Amino acid sequence: MSLDSKDAIYKKVVLAGDYWSHEVKKGQYFRIVDCEGNQAADTMFYALDNLRERYSAQDTINHQKNVYLTKGSEIISNRGNVLLTITDDTCGRHDTLGGACSAESNSVRYDLDKIHMHNCRDSFMAALREYDIELGKKDLNSNINFFMNVPISPDGKSTFSDGVSAAGKYVELKANVDVLCIISNCPQLNNPCNAYNPTPIEVLIWD
């Protein structure tokens, strides 16, 4: 199924380092576009009818026996349900292991002076407050890093590497249930996940 952007019922450009939240209803298609290439889109999904049910990296990895996501991958919740299915992917693979940058991780990984830098966990919290729902920092568990490249070495170690995406690449998902999607368009400047240059993404929704 090929979706034309002119038929989308919703479009939004999310600027570099900004955040976004929106409902995606059951049966709707949802696309994230890497506008300029090598941008990481840190993404969380919650089931709208019960916000305690949300994307689980552990269950998703175990379900598909793969740490990377691509076309055909199912996004599994912490209750074992399919939240969304990836229906198209022009990038190739997406990360489930790298997590989201935070003030704490920036200071531990890079330098104590980095603790004040903007980060994805702060963006997630801002999005939750804007959406006016009863979720807090304890509800920020695993997230998907769309377009981010975190290769696994033969000895089981992971590293942040240059992205495998390019301008205009996208990932597309179909909602199996009503979900709340929250994205931090990653502001990270200390590792190559954004090619040290955060850039915009675009999100689109189709009925």
Side-chain angles (χ1 to χ4, degrees):
M1 179 179 180
S2 179
L3 298 173
D4 194 321
S5 61
K6 67 178 174 49
D7 298 324
I9 63 168
Y10 177 92
K11 297 180 187 178
K12 175 72 174 180
V13 173
V14 184
L15 299 178
D18 206 351
Y19 61 86
W20 175 88
S21 63
H22 202 278
E23 297 177 5
V24 183
K25 298 295 188 178
K26 180 180 179 179
Q28 288 184 328
Y29 289 84
F30 168 60
R31 181 186 292 178
I32 307 173
V33 182
D34 187 359
C35 296
E36 298 182 27
N38 287 336
Q39 175 60 23
D42 292 34
T43 306
M44 305 183 79
F45 294 108
Y46 299 83
L48 265 177
D49 65 349
N50 180 3
L51 294 171
R52 302 301 171 190
E53 181 174 9
R54 67 286 302 266
Y55 161 72
S56 166
Q58 298 94 319
D59 291 287
T60 299
I61 292 168
N62 184 61
H63 175 73
Q64 64 174 3
K65 304 295 188 293
N66 197 326
V67 298
Y68 300 117
L69 302 177
T70 189
K71 184 176 180 179
S73 297
E74 293 180 322
I75 310 304
I76 308 298
S77 77
N78 57 342
R79 298 194 173 184
N81 298 315
V82 181
L83 297 178
L84 308 98
T85 303
I86 298 180
T87 55
D88 201 2
D89 177 21
T90 62
C91 175
R93 73 181 197 190
H94 307 272
D95 169 64
T96 61
L97 300 178
C101 59
S102 66
E104 295 81 5
S105 66
N106 280 341
S107 62
V108 170
R109 286 173 174 163
Y110 308 113
D111 192 283
L112 289 176
D113 291 342
K114 308 295 185 182
I115 196 167
H116 303 293
M117 293 184 71
H118 183 46
N119 60 79
C120 285
R121 286 181 69 85
D122 286 349
S123 287
F124 286 145
M125 288 304 302
L128 290 174
R129 286 193 296 270
E130 189 173 278
Y131 207 79
D132 194 28
I133 53 180
E134 294 300 318
L135 293 176
K137 186 171 285 189
K138 63 182 173 56
D139 298 294
L140 300 182
N141 55 337
S142 49
N143 64 279
I144 298 169
N145 294 308
F146 288 113
F147 310 116
M148 196 162 90
N149 184 25
V150 183
I152 308 298
S153 63
D155 61 0
K157 295 180 180 179
S158 62
T159 58
F160 296 108
S161 298
D162 289 335
V164 294
S165 184
K169 297 287 188 180
Y170 65 83
V171 58
E172 195 170 275
L173 306 95
K174 183 178 181 181
N176 291 63
V177 298
D178 293 349
V179 296
L180 170 65
C181 175
I182 295 177
I183 296 176
S184 169
N185 192 23
C186 185
Q188 183 60 256
L189 294 169
N190 301 293
N191 71 54
C193 71
N194 296 334
Y196 302 102
N197 178 38
T199 54
I201 60 170
E202 184 178 26
V203 292
L204 303 93
I205 298 173
W206 290 261
D207 274 335

